[in-house]
Amino acid sequence: MGNSFPCQICVVGFLCGICLTSLFLAVLTSVGTFGFTGISFSSLSMGISPWNSSSEIINVISSSDCNFKVKETERWVDSKPREPKSDNDERVSLLTEAWGALLADRQPEENEFLQRFGLSKSSIPNAPHLENCKLSAQVNKRLDERSGAAKFPPWTTWKGSLNMYPASATDENVRSLNQQPVSDGTHPPWIVGSDEENYPLTRKVQRDIWIHQHPKNCNDPNIRFLVADWEVLPGFGIGAQIAGMAGLLAIAIREKRVLVAGHYNRADHDGCKASRNSWSCYFFLETSSECRDRAFELTKNKEAWENGIIKGKDNYKSKEIWTGKIPRVWGDPWSYLQPTTDINGSLIAVHHKMDRRWWRAQAVRYLMRFQTEYTCGLLNIARHAAFGEEAAKMVLASIDREWPKVITNRPKSDIEEFVWSNHGPWVPRPLLSMHVRMGDKACEMKVVDFEHYMGLAHRIRMRFPHLNNVWLSTEMQEVIDKTKSYPHWNFYYTNVKRQVGNASMAAYEASLGRKTSTNYPLVNFLMAVESDFFIGALGSTWCFLIDGMRNTGGKVMAGYLSVNKDRFW
């Protein structure tokens, strides 16, 4: 620099400028990666879907302790430099996608995926969150039909697939037991839990309804029928349709008729294929195919109508169907319902419609006693989209760390195939289901905002602090948006277009199309039934029926927190 003072000043100034510029750039870089941690808001897609419907994809929101909120398409942004995916992350993704490919049940796509990654079906570990729908349908079919005029379904043996164990099939004692007349102590396999864990007399009532609806000989001239289509009036939701059929089932039992349900408009879509326009697309039919054939044959017989051998919906007034008498075959078991419903912090012990609440619970449980393979598949897709990645992490933690490079093919043991088959699919527990009903429902009941529902969720968590997961069902987009304000909860919900504003439910369903507007509510309904806790609005028929299914599904003591009471109480 020499001895010139002006030159020294210039050089020092230049070096200082470089330092300041470097420091400024460093600060900008750190700001760009600071403070955006804490929330994972991801949308999990399977890629291949056998029903190709947006309703079959589930959004998963996993929130932690930061209040920063990001859009649905954003990913983790960390203060640390982004690291490449670890081998374990890649294995989780591969296993999740492999399960999805098998779930699609489309041979070309499945084969292409397996070949691309050098896998085979036998090399893919079992998916704990998925159900074997074909096997379940086969087992349930055996449990829902007589194997001969004088025989009874094998309810007196064991649960799950154990009845199909080869030794059981050839054992004379077991075969003899199956052929014995049903006893008072025998109860249907679709009822979970003891008498104390269900509404009074649930197991006996379900057994009696099944016997009533499945006479030994449908061609017996003494058998009378009630044939009725499902309601199709504009504005009638699925809940109203089920409530209407519950009323018709009550009439059939009182008059000693076999109920035969006809056209079901919500099954009028391509997903139902062979069972189009029939309840049997989603659930097992209310009676045997023999009785249905006989009843539909009699509908063409003028004399059968005149003699009252067959009746239809038109033979009854609307009031008889919707608010008619409840069957008294079993006395009045509703009079000793336990108070397990909480409204405004108090248990409801008595109300004016206890009989109807008890009966609708029994009716909906019977009508939905067994899912079809199609419905089972819808639930598989929903669980995989919601919980598939979590399930993959669990499974990979328990097998060879070198999978899929190292594959150990181990055949299933008998205990896995026949005994443990009765265990349902895995879901993260405890799981709270929440049905938030708003929109045009305000003309029928008191509606409250989402914050009120979350207040009730907090009450449950105060008692069960390990509760973090919420299965959320709602038709309102504003409710979905508000979930971002609750970073300490994990929300799961179906990815469908939702209402903005107060459009009518009929208009909203029309915008979704027949298939989506039927499939996604039923998935939410059944997920709510299987959840550990439930928050809803008893003023909603849908919530009313969910409560009924839970109270005949071994969940009476889980209780029910409602934001309002039924409008008729």
Side-chain angles (χ1 to χ4, degrees):
M1 292 190 305
N3 295 322
S4 171
F5 181 78
C7 289
Q8 292 175 349
I9 291 296
C10 289
V11 171
V12 170
F14 176 76
L15 294 175
C16 288
I18 293 176
C19 291
L20 288 172
T21 302
S22 301
L23 179 61
F24 181 73
L25 290 174
V27 170
L28 280 180
T29 304
S30 65
V31 168
T33 58
F34 178 79
F36 295 89
T37 61
I39 184 166
S40 171
F41 195 123
S42 62
S43 179
L44 182 60
S45 174
M46 287 174 46
I48 304 174
S49 172
W51 292 283
N52 192 27
S53 170
S54 62
S55 68
E56 294 141 4
I57 304 300
I58 308 294
N59 279 342
V60 184
I61 314 172
S62 299
S63 307
S64 62
D65 295 336
C66 182
N67 288 324
F68 181 77
K69 306 172 186 64
V70 294
K71 294 183 179 178
E72 187 172 321
T73 55
E74 291 176 335
R75 302 294 180 186
W76 277 95
V77 182
D78 204 305
S79 57
K80 300 176 182 178
R82 185 179 294 275
E83 297 178 359
K85 257 190 173 183
S86 68
D87 290 342
N88 193 58
D89 289 339
E90 291 180 353
R91 291 165 70 231
V92 168
S93 297
L94 176 60
L95 181 54
T96 304
E97 291 183 33
W99 284 337
L102 295 180
L103 194 58
D105 198 25
R106 286 179 177 170
Q107 204 63 40
E109 292 91 335
E110 179 183 306
N111 291 340
E112 190 274 333
F113 179 88
L114 297 177
Q115 290 173 6
R116 180 157 37 110
F117 292 98
L119 300 172
S120 64
K121 283 187 177 182
S122 61
S123 67
I124 299 175
N126 180 60
H129 60 302
L130 303 180
E131 186 172 0
N132 185 332
C133 295
K134 290 186 186 300
L135 178 60
S136 293
Q138 292 172 5
V139 171
N140 292 340
K141 184 178 180 182
R142 286 167 58 93
L143 297 173
D144 197 57
E145 64 183 11
R146 297 179 185 272
S147 54
K151 293 182 180 180
F152 200 75
W155 295 356
T156 51
T157 52
W158 301 277
K159 292 184 176 182
S161 304
L162 198 55
N163 178 249
M164 303 173 74
Y165 184 58
S168 300
T170 58
D171 189 280
E172 287 299 325
N173 291 329
V174 174
R175 292 172 63 186
S176 174
L177 185 63
N178 289 343
Q179 296 178 27
Q180 291 178 9
V182 61
S183 66
D184 289 340
T186 306
H187 63 270
W190 58 85
I191 301 302
V192 178
S194 64
D195 289 334
E196 294 78 11
E197 296 170 299
N198 291 284
Y199 268 171
L201 299 186
T202 288
R203 296 199 292 180
K204 175 176 173 51
V205 171
Q206 293 296 310
R207 162 190 170 275
D208 291 349
I209 294 176
W210 192 93
I211 293 173
H212 171 89
Q213 287 290 113
H214 293 80
K216 294 179 181 179
N217 181 11
C218 296
N219 291 312
D220 186 328
N222 294 318
I223 300 293
R224 299 186 299 168
F225 299 93
L226 169 55
V227 179
D229 291 337
W230 293 78
E231 289 288 352
V232 294
L233 291 175
F236 271 50
I238 303 176
Q241 290 179 310
I242 296 173
M245 194 56 68
L248 289 165
L249 180 59
I251 292 173
I253 291 176
R254 291 202 321 268
E255 296 187 357
K256 294 182 172 55
R257 297 178 179 276
V258 174
L259 174 66
V260 177
H263 179 267
Y264 183 56
N265 64 324
R266 291 181 179 273
D268 184 16
H269 58 77
D270 294 339
C272 290
K273 297 180 180 177
S275 300
R276 196 172 187 125
N277 295 321
S278 173
W279 180 252
S280 63
C281 175
Y282 294 102
F283 300 95
F284 279 33
L285 287 168
E286 69 293 332
T287 188
S288 64
S289 57
E290 293 80 11
C291 280
R292 288 176 61 82
D293 292 343
R294 175 59 177 163
F296 290 132
E297 179 186 343
L298 287 172
T299 58
K300 303 172 185 177
N301 188 321
K302 183 179 179 181
E303 188 177 342
W305 287 97
E306 291 174 349
N307 294 335
I309 296 174
I310 190 163
K311 283 189 176 182
K313 194 188 301 182
D314 293 340
N315 291 103
Y316 305 95
K317 295 179 180 178
S318 178
K319 187 176 181 180
E320 292 179 88
I321 297 173
W322 295 98
T323 59
K325 295 179 180 179
I326 303 304
R328 295 276 177 168
V329 180
W330 306 279
D332 56 350
W334 48 83
S335 64
Y336 46 96
L337 290 178
Q338 297 300 314
T340 57
T341 299
D342 177 290
I343 301 177
N344 296 327
S346 300
L347 292 176
I348 304 300
V350 180
H351 56 81
H352 298 299
K353 299 296 180 181
M354 293 178 71
D355 57 344
R356 182 154 287 103
R357 187 180 186 187
W358 177 87
W359 169 248
R360 281 187 177 174
Q362 301 298 337
V364 68
R365 170 57 63 179
Y366 177 76
L367 293 171
M368 292 184 165
R369 64 193 181 282
F370 285 133
Q371 300 165 16
T372 61
E373 187 177 341
Y374 179 69
T375 301
C376 175
L378 293 178
L379 286 166
N380 269 351
I381 289 177
R383 281 191 299 266
H384 184 61
F387 316 128
E389 188 171 330
E390 295 173 68
K393 290 177 181 177
M394 289 194 308
V395 169
L396 289 172
S398 64
I399 64 175
D400 196 308
R401 293 183 61 84
E402 295 301 314
W403 184 91
K405 296 176 182 177
V406 175
I407 297 172
T408 303
N409 290 325
R410 183 179 61 82
K412 277 188 177 181
S413 63
D414 285 350
I415 196 170
E416 289 177 273
E417 187 170 355
F418 297 103
V419 180
W420 294 342
S421 63
N422 192 55
H423 290 257
W426 174 84
V427 298
R429 295 192 184 277
L431 181 64
L432 164 65
S433 174
M434 183 184 296
H435 181 68
V436 182
R437 188 71 168 90
M438 299 172 71
D440 65 341
K441 201 66 178 178
C443 65
E444 298 179 9
M445 71 175 194
K446 174 188 175 183
V447 297
V448 299
D449 54 28
F450 183 57
E451 288 76 9
H452 192 109
Y453 286 84
M454 290 306 298
L456 296 180
H458 182 70
R459 278 183 55 196
I460 300 176
R461 184 188 255 179
M462 291 294 288
R463 174 61 179 81
F464 303 96
H466 53 304
L467 174 64
N468 297 304
N469 304 306
V470 178
W471 187 279
L472 178 62
S473 60
T474 181
E475 76 280 8
M476 304 303 296
Q477 182 58 43
E478 66 176 274
V479 172
I480 300 300
D481 295 339
K482 287 182 178 180
T483 59
K484 303 170 189 177
S485 300
Y486 297 90
H488 301 282
W489 293 88
N490 303 326
F491 291 93
Y492 305 91
Y493 52 86
T494 48
N495 182 19
V496 295
K497 180 178 69 174
R498 287 181 163 79
Q499 283 183 260
V500 178
N502 291 324
S504 70
M505 180 57 73
Y508 170 60
E509 288 187 342
S511 70
L512 295 178
R514 176 68 75 201
K515 183 178 177 182
T516 300
S517 65
T518 303
N519 288 358
Y520 99 86
L522 286 176
V523 165
N524 284 331
F525 185 98
L526 295 170
M527 287 299 298
V529 170
E530 296 302 320
S531 296
D532 299 285
F533 304 100
F534 181 64
I535 295 174
L538 275 173
S540 161
T541 303
W542 194 241
C543 291
F544 197 102
L545 295 174
I546 289 174
D547 177 56
M549 281 286 280
R550 290 175 60 81
N551 287 325
T552 53
K555 297 188 181 295
V556 161
M557 296 310 295
Y560 176 17
L561 277 72
S562 179
V563 298
N564 61 21
K565 65 178 181 178
D566 181 82
R567 57 189 182 278
F568 300 117
W569 289 6

